[in-house]
Amino acid sequence: MSVLSEMNKAEQRIRAKEVFTVVDADGQIREDVKVITPEMKEAYKKRTELEAYKNRTDNPFTIVNMEASKEVTAIEELNTKELGYFLILQSYVDYSNMIKKANTTLPMTEKEIGEALKLKDKRAYSKVIEKFITLGLMYKESVTLYSKEYQAFFVDKKYCFRGSNRSDKVVKMFITSVQELYNQDGIKPADIGFLFMVLPYMHYESNHLVKHPYERDYAKAEAISQKDIVEITGLDEKKVKKHLKMKLSGVHVFATFRAGRNSVYKVNPSLFFRGVMPDEKLKADFILTGQSL
């Protein structure tokens, strides 16, 4: 290494030290004071967000039935927004499938269900609830809790439940992450409805979207293309592209990988996972360059 190069490096170190040196009113250098620049603050914020994101899979989860979900998406009376509402309600069920308030054991009222769905108008949320009950997705019955009777709403256990499960034809929905996604600015009920429509196509452990989700052999599973997603969801290409760009705290909900001329899609394991628990390698697909903040 040349002398000139060494001198340049030394000058850079001196300049860096000068930038972060604090001098008090008496002209004394303060070694006990730490300077945080806007750049350092922003870098720290991104590191903190990324750490929070990586730990989201510790969330409690609801188990969503894949085959039953496919049946729901085929119901002509339901639009994409209403599919989103139904999935959000599944994130609020307890172990009896009662829709309950967060951090309590008490059932949600109609109004509270409306608030969870981000519907302020009573006619709007009452209409959604009534429709779900008519279609058999939900039901209402009296429950007694702490010596008091309540009218409670339940999601039918055919579609989801809390607890253990031995079937591999299910998807774990991480409750806090899904609710956090829905509460983000710019995320609409139809975005969540799109997620609901593609859940039945998630491959075991890899979270890839495939044509044959129960086929463990990757060579036979067959990756789903964007054109396939358009066909599966019945949405136009423009809407599909928009939904595929969703983000949770700056991290993509769908990872996109190029395979020759085709794209392969994978669902973020902080939101949904098929298997016991996603490993670090799967999480890395969403944290590394191109998929992260």
Side-chain angles (χ1 to χ4, degrees), residues 73-85:
T73 61
I75 298 174
E76 293 182 0
E77 292 92 334
L78 294 174
N79 58 37
T80 311
K81 286 200 308 183
E82 290 166 335
L83 292 175
Y85 293 145

Side-chain angles (χ1 to χ4, degrees), residues 136-152:
L137 308 181
M138 287 171 53
Y139 60 92
K140 183 179 180 180
E141 68 178 33
S142 297
V143 296
T144 302
L145 296 168
Y146 310 111
S147 303
K148 186 176 179 180
E149 190 172 294
Y150 297 88
Q151 288 298 308

Side-chain angles (χ1 to χ4, degrees), residues 142-203:
S142 297
V143 296
T144 302
L145 296 168
Y146 310 111
S147 303
K148 186 176 179 180
E149 190 172 294
Y150 297 88
Q151 288 298 308
F153 295 93
F154 293 78
V155 174
D156 193 295
K157 285 193 174 182
K158 174 182 179 179
Y159 305 105
C160 71
F161 56 92
R162 298 281 303 278
S164 60
N165 171 72
R166 293 188 177 184
S167 171
D168 70 348
K169 295 183 178 182
V170 294
V171 174
K172 288 180 179 177
M173 174 174 64
F174 293 102
I175 292 168
T176 306
S177 294
V178 170
Q179 292 176 1
E180 182 183 344
L181 174 66
Y182 187 49
N183 287 325
Q184 284 184 169
D185 290 339
I187 296 296
K188 307 296 183 185
D191 292 313
I192 307 300
F194 175 80
L195 275 168
F196 187 68
M197 287 191 278
V198 299
L199 288 188
Y201 299 91
M202 284 175 54
H203 193 255

Side-chain angles (χ1 to χ4, degrees), residues 107-157:
M108 277 192 187
T109 62
E110 273 201 18
K111 184 179 179 181
E112 288 165 336
I113 287 176
E115 290 170 354
L117 298 180
K118 298 198 291 190
L119 291 171
K120 295 180 181 179
D121 184 69
K122 186 182 187 306
R123 289 175 298 178
Y125 60 73
S126 294
K127 184 178 178 181
V128 169
I129 293 170
E130 184 181 350
K131 190 171 192 177
F132 288 171
I133 291 175
T134 301
L135 292 171
L137 308 181
M138 287 171 53
Y139 60 92
K140 183 179 180 180
E141 68 178 33
S142 297
V143 296
T144 302
L145 296 168
Y146 310 111
S147 303
K148 186 176 179 180
E149 190 172 294
Y150 297 88
Q151 288 298 308
F153 295 93
F154 293 78
V155 174
D156 193 295
K157 285 193 174 182

Side-chain angles (χ1 to χ4, degrees), residues 11-26:
E11 187 177 355
Q12 288 173 3
R13 287 196 293 271
I14 291 169
R15 285 179 178 174
K17 186 176 181 181
E18 286 174 349
V19 170
F20 298 105
T21 297
V22 177
V23 180
D24 64 20
D26 298 323

